[in-house]
Amino acid sequence: MARLRATARRCRPVLVATLIALATAQAASAHSVLIATEPANDSILETAPEHVLLRFDEGVESALGSIRVFNGDGERVDAETISKPRFNEVTVELDSDLPRGTYTVAWRVISADSDPINGAFVFHVEAPGSQPSGIAVQVLEDTPVVVSGLYTAGRFFDFALLLLCAGGVASLVLALGSAARELRSRLYGLLGVLATALAAVALIGLPLQGAAASGFSLVDAFSWDVVSAVADTRYGEASLIRASLAATLALVALALRSSEGRGELPLTALAVVLVAGMIVTPSASGHASVSGPLSFVADIAHIQAAAAWTGGLAFLVLGLVLAGDDRWPLATRCVPRFSNMAMVSVGVLIIAGTI
């Protein structure tokens, strides 16, 4: 009982720090925002425009995206191929000499945080047509519900597995270093399974991203053209790098599991390098990559701290559960070390989150 009280006292600073972090948490950034269009929404033009241009508050990806312009009869009047005059602008050429009437613009691009966004607006040539509100309801395609659900679940598991892998390595190195070799071997085996799952989820995310970005069905998304198009985007490049690093980490974890203490130090150092690279990938494909060096570094630090706290805690708890009769002696050695790591992590979370 005395040992339990001592361990609880050591955990108390971590609980206090966590409550502070939750109380001071700031709202996360939303998707890219459409700030201007040419022609402007619901504008009446004296002559037909040569193109339609969309301007966003930050850079967007146009791969698998589209700008489709329809007349009042639902017929397309655009050149179909979109271009990017600037990093935050997309445009499409229009047919020459558009007749009088109302035209509906339906657009779809990939936001700076790698999530697809879409919308619609209208403009008029000379005067509004018979349907002045346009035909957005008929032509604006939403992402299929199944695709949207799988895409969201894939992004969640991708990030959760990343936190578990990075936090697991941090916990094994900093908190569970004094655990019995047999216990560490079991935890390295789990790390290998998690890293393998992360590699698989990162790769499956490519066709899911293509389906969500273009409005395709799952069947259409699992094609080489779609996957290769996604692979050329920032999201695709980051996902491929994360999958490669995760697959390598799985091999290193399995080597550590069977090393029996021989050559463990260089393998552990390699595992640390691999998870450090993996942690950079979400920032490289998200808002932080277009928000300046300070935001980029702060975002990486934020993810690292979150991994050390959440993933590290998961491995610590599992290690104590698996320790059996050695649970309390192990707790007296490991909990203080994790407490120090968690306190630093929460501090980094607060500072990086504020930035």
Side-chain angles (χ1 to χ4, degrees):
M1 184 61 70
R3 184 178 297 166
L4 177 61
R5 293 195 186 98
T7 302
R9 283 196 299 271
R10 294 189 181 100
C11 293
R12 195 172 299 158
V14 179
L15 177 61
V16 173
T18 303
L19 293 175
I20 293 173
L22 292 174
T24 57
Q26 301 294 316
S29 299
H31 304 314
S32 301
V33 176
L34 180 65
I35 57 175
T37 64
E38 298 177 7
N41 180 35
D42 207 26
S43 59
I44 300 177
L45 310 177
E46 294 182 359
T47 58
E50 297 180 351
H51 64 269
V52 169
L53 181 143
L54 287 75
R55 184 177 298 114
F56 297 85
D57 64 339
E58 55 190 3
V60 294
E61 296 275 5
S62 57
L64 296 175
S66 63
I67 303 177
R68 298 174 299 148
V69 186
F70 300 88
N71 62 21
D73 296 325
E75 300 173 344
R76 291 188 64 169
V77 295
D78 61 87
E80 297 190 10
T81 302
I82 64 176
S83 58
K84 291 183 65 176
R86 299 179 61 192
F87 73 100
N88 65 332
E89 294 179 347
V90 289
T91 184
V92 66
E93 300 296 321
L94 299 178
D95 295 346
S96 58
D97 299 326
L98 295 181
R100 173 177 176 170
T102 296
Y103 295 86
T104 303
V105 181
W107 57 268
R108 181 186 290 266
V109 296
I110 301 175
S111 176
D113 62 355
S114 297
D115 277 336
I117 54 176
N118 61 5
F121 65 94
V122 299
F123 66 89
H124 316 280
V125 175
E126 297 184 15
S130 57
Q131 299 185 66
S133 60
I135 55 172
V137 174
Q138 295 96 308
V139 300
L140 187 59
E141 297 179 356
D142 290 329
T143 302
V145 175
V146 174
V147 171
S148 181
L150 290 175
Y151 171 76
T152 302
R155 294 291 291 266
F156 170 79
F157 284 111
D158 189 30
F159 195 66
L161 288 167
L162 173 62
L163 295 183
L164 286 172
C165 288
V169 170
S171 191
L172 283 164
V173 171
L174 299 176
L176 292 164
S178 63
R181 177 61 206 173
E182 180 181 357
L183 174 59
R184 287 171 58 81
S185 294
R186 296 176 70 179
L187 292 176
Y188 277 127
L190 173 62
L191 178 63
V193 172
L194 293 173
T196 302
L198 175 58
V201 170
L203 292 176
I204 293 174
L206 296 179
L208 290 178
Q209 173 78 355
S214 59
F216 291 160
S217 66
L218 286 177
V219 175
D220 294 332
F222 278 85
S223 68
W224 175 248
D225 290 340
V226 173
V227 172
S228 61
V230 175
D232 289 335
T233 66
R234 287 185 301 112
Y235 173 87
E237 292 172 352
S239 295
L240 289 174
I241 292 173
R242 184 159 59 251
S244 300
L245 294 174
T248 306
L249 177 63
L251 296 176
V252 171
L254 294 179
L256 283 166
R257 183 176 184 271
S258 58
S259 66
E260 298 182 356
R262 298 186 300 272
E264 185 171 341
L265 183 58
L267 287 173
T268 301
L270 178 57
V272 171
V273 171
L274 291 171
V275 297
M278 287 161 51
I279 285 170
V280 176
T281 56
S283 302
S285 62
H287 277 293
S289 63
V290 296
S291 301
L294 181 60
S295 294
F296 187 67
V297 173
D299 198 57
I300 294 172
H302 198 80
I303 296 172
Q304 172 62 74
W309 168 230
T310 57
L313 178 61
F315 266 71
L316 175 66
V317 171
L318 181 59
L320 293 176
V321 171
L322 296 176
D325 295 338
D326 191 44
R327 180 175 303 126
W328 289 113
L330 179 63
T332 59
R333 301 191 305 270
C334 296
V335 170
R337 296 176 184 176
F338 177 78
S339 178
N340 293 333
M341 182 177 73
M343 287 288 289
V344 173
S345 298
V346 171
V348 173
L349 280 170
I350 295 173
I351 295 171
T354 300
I355 294 175

